[in-house]
Amino acid sequence: MTREEDIKNAVEVLRKGGVILYPTDTVWGIGCDATNAEAVKRVYDIKQRDDSKAMICLVDSDARLQRYVRNVPDVAWQLIDSLTGGQSLCEVGSQRDCPPVRPTTIILDGAVNLAPNLIAEDGSIALRITQEPFSRELCYRFQKALVSTSANISGEPAAQNYCDIDPRIIEQVDYVCWSRRQEHKPHTPSSIIRLRPDGQVTIIRS
């Protein structure tokens, strides 16, 4: 199966409200339409996770990100540009002796146009612009934000590669992407930054 065919199949499932397993810019993820509350509930159920714990969404571009946050502060774009340029999270936070940057999720206030059960109680949402070719193309073809939560039962280790995914999860989704299934490489979850409207930056996970 070609990557193009794989993405086409995944998008068809997502548009019907289905749930998929797919490789991301970090670990393997469980995904669904981030605007579909029923699909989001299924993801929580599959992970056996409390729906009070908000999940991350992937988007393919700055323009797409803006659709899901009422007002994106200017500092957010500066932060994204800095991270893309290879600056470490700790350098952004004016600290030293820190590890290099990896894919970074930013928590922003004022979430809009998303499933209500995906938004945190304080109205925030965690978003990441993916640069990884497969997940970026998938988000682009789907034309919406895509839920991206690690493919594991809540409390268990994240699935770095396809071979690490619990069979119980595979059995419950509607489509499993073929791309990168044979990969055996170390992967880690994204870094997470909380960005307040006043520009205050808090490193949640470095």
Side-chain angles (χ1 to χ4, degrees):
M1 181 184 295
T2 66
R3 190 177 78 174
E4 183 68 25
E5 291 171 333
D6 200 13
I7 288 173
K8 180 180 178 181
N9 292 340
V11 168
E12 287 178 355
V13 170
L14 291 167
R15 287 176 176 163
K16 293 176 182 177
V19 175
I20 68 170
L21 277 175
Y22 68 111
T24 76
D25 53 342
T26 58
V27 296
W28 269 72
I30 305 174
C32 73
D33 180 350
T35 70
N36 185 324
E38 291 185 7
V40 170
K41 183 181 183 304
R42 277 192 62 199
V43 174
Y44 280 118
D45 290 343
I46 290 170
K47 284 184 66 74
Q48 300 175 28
R49 181 176 177 175
D50 190 326
D51 64 7
S52 66
K53 297 180 179 179
M55 296 185 290
I56 293 170
C57 292
L58 282 189
V59 293
D60 63 304
S61 65
D62 295 358
R64 194 92 59 204
L65 183 147
Q66 291 182 85
R67 296 183 184 182
Y68 303 109
V69 178
R70 187 171 289 108
N71 292 298
V72 181
D74 290 340
V75 68
W77 303 123
Q78 297 169 15
L79 185 57
I80 290 169
D81 288 344
S82 296
L83 294 169
T84 303
Q87 193 174 13
S88 78
L89 290 184
C90 296
E91 287 173 331
V92 171
S94 299
Q95 299 176 31
R96 298 180 179 179
D97 300 323
C98 306
V101 69
R102 63 176 186 263
T104 301
T105 300
I106 300 179
I107 300 174
L108 296 166
D109 288 322
V112 293
N113 303 320
L114 293 166
N117 54 343
L118 190 57
I119 300 171
E121 292 181 357
D122 63 1
S124 65
I125 187 66
L127 293 161
R128 186 167 76 252
I129 300 174
T130 177
Q131 304 294 334
E132 184 272 329
F134 183 86
S135 55
R136 186 181 179 91
E137 181 71 9
L138 178 60
C139 289
Y140 173 74
R141 296 294 179 186
F142 186 48
Q143 294 285 295
K144 291 183 182 180
L146 185 62
V147 167
S148 179
T149 182
S150 56
N152 61 291
I153 303 297
S154 185
E156 296 184 357
Q160 296 186 37
N161 297 285
Y162 173 75
C163 60
D164 301 320
I165 302 174
D166 190 315
R168 291 174 294 173
I169 291 179
I170 296 174
E171 292 169 0
Q172 293 183 76
V173 302
D174 302 302
Y175 184 74
V176 181
C177 291
W178 287 90
S179 299
R180 293 175 55 195
R181 280 199 197 184
Q182 303 304 317
E183 190 173 88
H184 291 277
K185 296 180 180 180
H187 296 281
T188 56
S190 71
S191 299
I192 300 177
I193 291 176
R194 180 71 166 92
L195 181 59
R196 300 288 181 180
D198 61 3
Q200 179 184 352
V201 175
T202 302
I203 299 173
I204 305 298
R205 183 171 69 199
S206 61

